[in-house]
Amino acid sequence: MVRIEQIEVVIADIPTVRPHVLAMTTMHSQAVVLVFLRRSDGIFGVGEATTIGGLAYGEESPESIKVNIETYFAPILQSCDADDVAACMALLSGHIVGNRFAKCAIETALLDGLGQARGLPVSELLGGRRVDRLEVAWTLASGDTALDIEEGQRVFEARRHRHFKLKIGKRNVEADCAHVGAIAKAFEGKASVRVDVNQAWSRGQAAKGAAMLQDAGVVLIEQPLAKSDFEGMAELTANCDIAIMADEALTGPDSARQLAKEHAGDAFSLKITQSGGLVPTAEVAVIAREANIALYGGTMLEGGIGTAASAHLFACLPDLVWHTELFGPLLMTEEFLTEPLVYRDFGLVVPDGPGLGVRVDRGKLELFRRH
Ligand code: MUC
Ligand code: MG
């Protein structure tokens, strides 16, 4: 039996390359939450539980994740075999309600440890990768149309991104749609443009906005309505030609089943933290496929560990129609991996070393660690 000898949770505040403007918050830095799990065979497994804007986006904050893992998760895991990831996660689920981000970080760290012990990438533990590279969208969210166009041109010319997601919902519908229209025009025929409203619209605003965005050539609208408004999302899905994607509404297999039953979306944004781990996210993907719902590889703007973990799972899925947005590390000014993830030819190369295939440089991380 391989025991879990120690669990350490580190919060590191890393500046963003520019202010990142979302409907619910403006980010100037990202509070990265990393979990280091030491096994009795000397292997360290690492996981990530990063969220967005403190408590602005989800119910778990960086601080609550740290306290909850240290106070409640760690004692439960003392009796577990670190090589038996499913049993560890079942035991946690039996004693701990919710806390999906924290559970995701622990599951990731266990899979990373097991992969290192067996000499296998996490993707192979999950059934095997189908691709080695994932296309990655970039989010234009400076809050300024001209700056967004300039930034989009720069990353397009560098062959880093050819799909752009625009964050809207802070201004009125007309102003937001004019902003999107100008950007869509600038990238017409070159790059696809999607929008993320982050729940900011009413049903009336969404009906009006969807028509305007469709005229502007936008291909997809992410979470236009409140996360609880499944009925409104279903109505929009039925009435619009433009694809409607569920994001905040999707919090794991139970919500996926309900969204699918109510036809409340054409696409799901899969997020390993929001769904409580890689294995529950794979279950969400199966539910989606059975309901003819297209898949998208989402992000909570994690650093290199959560991004690598997501990439290992997304690489195993049969068809990511809307590709991914695994750009988190590129939004931060500092790298804390020993070797950064590789972005090229409009995509992210899925690491192929044992476990997550990436390692944390503790010296670099220390510079940004919160004390
Ligand atoms: C979200 O709501 O999708 C993902 C990309 C981005 O800029 O924000 C996140 C959150
Ligand atoms: Mg979103």
Side-chain angles (χ1 to χ4, degrees), residues 160-209:
R160 231 177 62 183
H161 309 280
R162 59 180 168 196
H163 306 290
F164 296 122
K165 166 160 136 174
L166 314 190
K167 289 289 197 183
I168 59 172
K170 260 199 134 149
R171 295 173 279 209
N172 65 49
V173 177
E174 288 79 8
D176 263 342
C177 291
H179 162 79
V180 176
I183 295 174
K185 194 156 183 276
F187 290 102
E188 202 177 343
K190 289 208 284 195
S192 77
V193 171
R194 309 105 184 254
V195 300
D196 190 352
V197 193
N198 283 121
Q199 314 179 59
W201 282 347
S202 65
R203 290 188 189 182
Q205 287 171 318
K208 185 164 134 193

Side-chain angles (χ1 to χ4, degrees), residues 52 70 93 104-105 118 138 141 184 197 243 247 250 272 281 321 368:
I52 293 171
E70 289 171 351
S93 289
C104 174
R118 299 283 185 275
W138 175 253
V197 193
D247 181 12
L250 186 59
I272 60 169
T281 307
V321 172
F368 297 93

Side-chain angles (χ1 to χ4, degrees), residues 5 32 62 75 82 91 156 175 202-203 223 233 246 249 253 270 317 343 349:
E5 288 188 332
V32 170
L91 189 68
F156 176 78
S202 65
R203 290 188 189 182
Q223 198 67 54
M233 287 284 279
L270 303 174
L317 302 177
Y343 289 87
V349 177

Side-chain angles (χ1 to χ4, degrees), residues 20 52 57 139 165 167 196 198 222 247 271 299 325:
H20 198 60
I52 293 171
Y57 197 103
T139 297
K165 166 160 136 174
K167 289 289 197 183
D196 190 352
N198 283 121
E222 183 172 333
D247 181 12
K271 292 183 178 173
T299 180
E325 56 177 12

Side-chain angles (χ1 to χ4, degrees), residues 69-152:
I69 290 178
E70 289 171 351
T71 314
Y72 297 100
F73 286 60
I76 294 169
L77 288 167
Q78 265 171 10
S79 64
C80 287
D81 181 350
D83 272 350
D84 195 345
V85 180
C88 292
M89 296 314 295
L91 189 68
L92 282 178
S93 289
H95 289 84
I96 293 173
V97 174
N99 286 271
R100 303 185 310 276
F101 286 59
K103 283 176 182 162
C104 174
I106 296 290
E107 189 204 46
T108 303
L110 287 165
L111 288 168
D112 182 35
L114 179 61
Q116 290 179 60
R118 299 283 185 275
L120 286 173
V122 167
S123 58
E124 305 316 290
L125 301 177
L126 295 172
R129 65 179 63 187
R130 294 163 188 253
V131 294
D132 288 314
R133 198 180 59 87
L134 297 159
E135 278 217 26
V136 177
W138 175 253
T139 297
L140 295 170
S142 71
D144 180 279
T145 312
L147 281 180
D148 280 358
I149 293 175
E150 195 186 295
E151 185 178 298

